[in-house]
Amino acid sequence: GTSCSVALATGDRSIVPDIELSDFMAGSEDLETCRQTGIRAMQSTPLVSRAGRLLGMISSHWRNPHQPSDRDLHLLDVLARQAADLIERKQAELTDQRLAAIVDSSHDAIVSKDLNGLITTWNRGAGRLFGYAASEMIGRSITTLIPPDRHHEEVRILDRIRRGERVEPYETLRQRRDG
């Protein structure tokens, strides 16, 4: 029964310039609550992700009847876009942190490298398996782990990746720090 619930239901901004004249608020508990708290006008602007997902709402309330100007609505749209982007970025950071924690706690060796074969990430499982700390390996060539007679495998793998081809799982040998 408020602008927020209408905006939530429709995904579009809802403006109530005067609660006393609002059809959808008439006779509702929300109308009575607004009266008791001194709210006479309100607007709600949805926070929508770039993918179209509803993330939240920005609501404004006024003590007197009020129709926001076009300039005010434009500023609310800008604020809503920025807020949605920030929320989405924070959610992505949290997802990245969760995934990083999973990778880091894995007992399997998980190593990533760039297209030049330089190691960019190294988890604890890789440290246990190969005997090197991440600080020793990040920035070094992956060939540090590959016996010389198998360097050709890495050349083929990187060539396939550069062409955008999938590299299927395969069995090979790698070399620990102690040989």
Side-chain angles (χ1 to χ4, degrees):
T2 64
S3 63
C4 192
S5 62
V6 170
L8 183 64
T10 65
D12 296 321
R13 178 182 4 252
S14 174
I15 301 171
V16 180
D18 188 341
I19 63 167
E20 300 298 340
L21 303 177
S22 171
D23 291 339
F24 67 84
M25 290 185 74
S28 71
E29 284 184 40
D30 295 316
L31 176 61
E32 201 50 48
T33 301
C34 286
R35 286 175 178 154
Q36 290 171 6
T37 57
I39 295 171
R40 187 68 190 267
M42 62 182 74
Q43 78 75 37
S44 294
T45 301
L47 305 178
V48 180
S49 74
R50 295 192 185 265
R53 190 169 53 100
L54 182 63
L55 302 173
M57 201 74 57
I58 293 178
S59 293
S60 307
H61 302 87
W62 294 271
R63 292 196 175 277
N64 297 307
H66 180 78
Q67 173 64 49
S69 68
D70 287 343
R71 181 180 181 281
D72 290 341
L73 296 175
H74 172 72
L75 291 173
L76 282 166
D77 288 339
V78 170
L79 181 61
R81 166 69 12 231
Q82 291 174 340
D85 286 347
L86 286 171
I87 290 168
E88 223 171 15
R89 188 174 313 130
K90 185 63 176 175
Q91 289 173 341
E93 287 172 7
L94 291 172
T95 297
D96 288 348
Q97 289 170 359
R98 282 188 216 105
L99 292 174
I102 291 168
V103 167
D104 195 48
S105 64
S106 174
H107 291 287
D108 293 325
I110 302 174
V111 177
S112 62
K113 60 190 174 191
D114 65 15
L115 290 176
N116 296 314
L118 297 179
I119 296 169
T120 57
T121 64
W122 183 269
N123 76 336
R124 283 188 265 178
R128 283 188 295 274
L129 182 66
F130 294 111
Y132 294 97
S135 60
E136 296 175 281
M137 294 305 293
I138 293 176
R140 288 180 67 181
S141 174
I142 193 72
T143 57
T144 304
L145 306 174
I146 301 174
D149 65 328
R150 293 189 175 260
H151 282 196
H152 64 280
E153 292 175 351
E154 185 63 14
V155 172
R156 280 197 309 251
I157 290 168
L158 288 175
D159 285 345
R160 292 195 71 180
I161 293 170
R162 284 187 193 105
R163 291 192 305 266
E165 296 175 11
R166 180 178 163 87
V167 177
E168 296 296 330
Y170 63 98
E171 286 192 33
T172 187
L173 295 174
R174 295 295 180 251
Q175 191 166 344
R176 288 179 42 85
R177 176 183 218 140
D178 61 9

